[in-house]
Amino acid sequence: MPQFGNSFPGPKRLFPFWDFRLLLLNVSHGQNAFLSVSIIGVGLLLSDRRPFVAGVILGCISYKPQFAPMLAIVVLAHRNWMMALGAAISLAVQVIAVTMLFGSDIWTHFESILPSAKAILEEQLVGYGKMQSAFAAVRIFGGGINLAYSAQAAVAIAAASLLWRIWRSEASLLLRAGATGAAMLLSTPFVLDYDLVLLALPVAALTTEGLKTGFKPYEKSILAAAWILPAAARLTAVYSNIPLSPEIVLLLLVLIWKRTSTDHPAVSDACRLMET
């Protein structure tokens, strides 16, 4: 894909993802996560060279509004106003088209089902073992609703902070895109195991950088854990009450942040002290 320049991994670097364990899980559920990661990945990888087009593409993720806050962080951190304009126009066109096709009553129906989404989350209408968020992890451990929301908010704020720092840095576009995928998974309480296809972005980013410049401490171990996570996450949560996803995804985001921040002397010294 030459249009992405050196930001996009070549076929040899993509080889480890052709056998990505999440493929079978997502296909078996008949979900749209492949479409989601395609929209998000292509949009982000175009964000530097074709920001308006990138925004138009990213606006098509409107069916997953829970991922939008992290895209707002990307726009603000990178001051990519053309991408914001493209996304706004894309969303407006979708709203107009849907209204013309189905009538304005569709928005009333949409509003009427919003309470059911909250019920699904809070009343375990979808088992917490299937969910992969910090909210679900707290509920699996027996924590209350308020504690679960508080934990989710703390994780989302931490992810947003790291994502901001990464997009404000001189990191490669591939690393920035990978960080966005990880932050999206951490930002919402309603994320299921088939949504973990977004792991392809941080896994691809860290693997490509590792093959290019050498792997840093712990990267191979955490990448291996991320590789098997989609196959193991639901099983460990349902049968052992051990949620794995929030920790592993957060570690991926931290690893990307470490790679992007090692040029700063203070951070570099701190990282070396941690590793010793």
Side-chain angles (χ1 to χ4, degrees), residues 21-55:
R21 294 301 187 266
L22 194 55
L23 299 184
L24 179 60
L25 177 64
N26 204 74
V27 170
S28 65
H29 281 74
Q31 286 294 328
N32 55 21
F34 287 127
L35 176 62
S36 300
V37 76
S38 298
I39 292 172
I40 294 167
V42 172
L44 290 172
L45 290 172
L46 282 171
S47 61
D48 282 357
R49 293 190 175 189
R50 300 286 188 272
F52 182 81
V53 175

Side-chain angles (χ1 to χ4, degrees), residues 103-119:
S104 58
D105 288 345
I106 192 171
W107 301 112
T108 304
H109 295 313
F110 175 74
E111 184 179 1
S112 69
I113 66 171
L114 292 179
S116 65
K118 185 178 181 182

Side-chain angles (χ1 to χ4, degrees), residues 73-122:
I73 295 293
V74 168
V75 168
L76 293 172
H78 210 50
R79 298 177 182 176
N80 198 333
W81 312 126
M82 286 300 294
M83 188 168 80
L85 177 62
I89 292 175
S90 176
L91 185 58
V93 169
Q94 292 173 62
V95 170
I96 293 170
V98 167
T99 304
M100 291 178 65
L101 286 171
F102 302 105
S104 58
D105 288 345
I106 192 171
W107 301 112
T108 304
H109 295 313
F110 175 74
E111 184 179 1
S112 69
I113 66 171
L114 292 179
S116 65
K118 185 178 181 182
I120 289 172
L121 184 64
E122 295 183 356

